[in-house]
Amino acid sequence: MLLSLFLIFIGIFGVSFGARILVSGGSSIARRLRVSDLVVGLTIVALGTSAPELIVGLNAAWNGKAEVALGNVIGSNIANVGLILAVCALITPLYFQRNTVRAEIPLTLLAALVCLLLSQDVRIDGRGFSAITRIDGLVLLCFFAIYMAYMFNVASQSPKQHPDTAEHPILPVWRSVGMIAGGIVALALGGDWIVGGASDVARRLGMSDALISLTLVSVGTSIPELATSLVAAMRRNTDIVVGNVVGSNLFNSFLILGSSATLAPLPLGNITLADFLVNIGVTVYLTAIAFFSTPSRITRLEGGILLAIYLAYVAYLFKGL
């Protein structure tokens, strides 16, 4: 089992490292071809930061590990709000921009509700089992396309920014291509190690794939968001913290779950209604804070409440062991 745990941690490092060098290499190629920073940000960078969850989800779906694919998305969404956003709020109060309150946070709540509705075939249609089907996956991808159109519209109206060339260098072509290839290999291997290691640990401990993916795998694949958010919080750059979490949850629900379900139908297995309800619950709480607090912000007290909810949820998951 130690080998499997080692594979999980190495896999998490692999997908994180692979995503980072893939973004750097792809961004360099794009700038060399004079592609706008807007397109780079909305495609290469956005995909790169979501690559760990995406690769794990696609790998799990392809290998028939539906609980890992579903648990990774739902667990990551809960951890993003209940763990990452909460811990950052304990460091410094997190303020919301008006556009985030009016559009992006409601979209996050919509995403959580859509995932719940699509997962309840037994209760809604009276079927023998519930699953996120290929049709459901295509519906989620349609929502993702709408969200991307919204992002392009918002970004096109934002003031032009000129990135520091020291932070965004144009690398030699051979190096950029090598980074892209290496990133893809690291993502593929890391995703395979995470899924395989998690399944082996679950089997040896008598735990379900759902439990491992809702906790260890989901937090592991959220490490890039956690690291970015903690640094931003310590620098009092709260826009990055909020945008990182909200954007990640939208990508998880629409792109990653949609792509995974389109590749292969995802029966719920041990992913329960309670998991979806907790996802909705923390999102509703976040929405209420954003709409009704004056000024619109998450205080340290509210961050502490979110963290307590997350810890209670994890305790609930492990109570049967």
Side-chain angles (χ1 to χ4, degrees):
M1 188 174 70
L2 288 176
L3 176 60
S4 296
L5 287 171
F6 179 73
L7 283 176
I8 293 173
F9 287 113
I10 291 297
I12 289 170
F13 172 80
V15 294
S16 300
F17 176 74
R20 184 162 60 87
I21 64 173
L22 176 63
V23 167
S24 297
S27 297
S28 176
I29 290 289
R31 289 186 174 87
R32 182 175 292 276
L33 297 175
R34 299 188 183 279
V35 175
S36 70
D37 288 334
L38 168 62
V39 175
V40 172
L42 291 177
T43 54
I44 297 171
V45 175
L47 180 59
T49 54
S50 297
E53 290 92 342
L54 178 61
I55 294 300
V56 168
L58 292 176
N59 186 292
W62 179 258
N63 288 287
K65 300 291 184 179
E67 291 181 10
V68 175
L70 278 167
N72 180 44
V73 168
I74 301 302
S76 291
N77 284 356
I78 296 171
N80 282 344
V81 178
L83 178 61
I84 297 176
L85 206 61
V87 170
C88 290
L90 292 175
I91 296 173
T92 182
L94 305 176
Y95 290 85
F96 297 102
Q97 294 288 342
R98 179 179 298 181
N99 203 61
T100 301
V101 175
R102 290 183 174 180
E104 290 152 16
I105 288 180
L107 274 174
T108 307
L109 179 57
L110 174 65
L113 290 170
V114 169
C115 289
L116 171 67
L117 291 175
L118 294 180
S119 69
Q120 299 305 305
D121 298 326
V122 171
R123 291 177 174 83
I124 295 176
D125 293 333
R127 295 182 182 177
F129 66 96
S130 293
I132 306 292
T133 65
R134 284 193 171 94
I135 294 296
D136 296 336
L138 292 173
V139 169
L140 291 170
L141 289 178
C142 287
F143 275 109
F144 177 70
I146 295 170
Y147 172 60
M148 288 300 294
Y150 160 76
M151 286 181 65
F152 269 103
N153 181 61
V154 170
S156 64
Q157 297 175 7
S158 300
K160 300 296 182 183
Q161 296 183 352
H162 303 282
D164 185 351
T165 55
E167 296 179 6
H168 304 279
I170 297 179
L171 305 172
V173 174
W174 66 268
R175 187 175 175 186
S176 298
V177 172
M179 292 174 74
I180 292 172
I184 291 172
V185 171
L187 285 166
L189 290 176
D192 187 60
W193 289 338
I194 290 172
V195 173
S199 297
D200 185 65
V201 169
R203 184 176 62 255
R204 290 176 181 272
L205 294 179
M207 302 162 64
S208 67
D209 286 344
L211 177 56
I212 291 293
S213 60
L214 284 166
T215 53
L216 181 60
V217 174
S218 62
V219 173
T221 56
S222 295
I223 284 177
E225 288 92 340
L226 176 59
T228 301
S229 297
L230 286 176
V231 171
M234 288 186 285
R235 293 177 178 176
R236 303 296 190 267
N237 195 336
T238 60
D239 287 347
I240 290 180
V241 177
V242 174
N244 189 31
V245 166
V246 171
S248 178
N249 278 19
L250 287 168
F251 267 70
N252 286 345
S253 299
F254 292 150
L255 173 63
I256 296 168
L257 187 56
S259 299
S260 301
T262 302
L263 182 64
L266 305 175
L268 263 61
N270 290 308
I271 304 293
T272 67
L273 176 62
D275 301 313
F276 288 93
L277 291 178
V278 171
N279 183 33
I280 290 175
V282 294
T283 310
V284 167
Y285 184 55
L286 175 63
T287 305
I289 292 171
F291 272 91
F292 298 114
S293 61
T294 305
S296 185
R297 63 176 180 173
I298 304 177
T299 65
R300 287 186 173 90
L301 174 60
E302 291 159 344
I305 294 172
L306 275 173
L307 183 59
I309 292 172
Y310 180 74
L311 294 176
Y313 170 64
V314 173
Y316 162 78
L317 291 176
F318 282 95
K319 69 178 177 61
L321 295 181

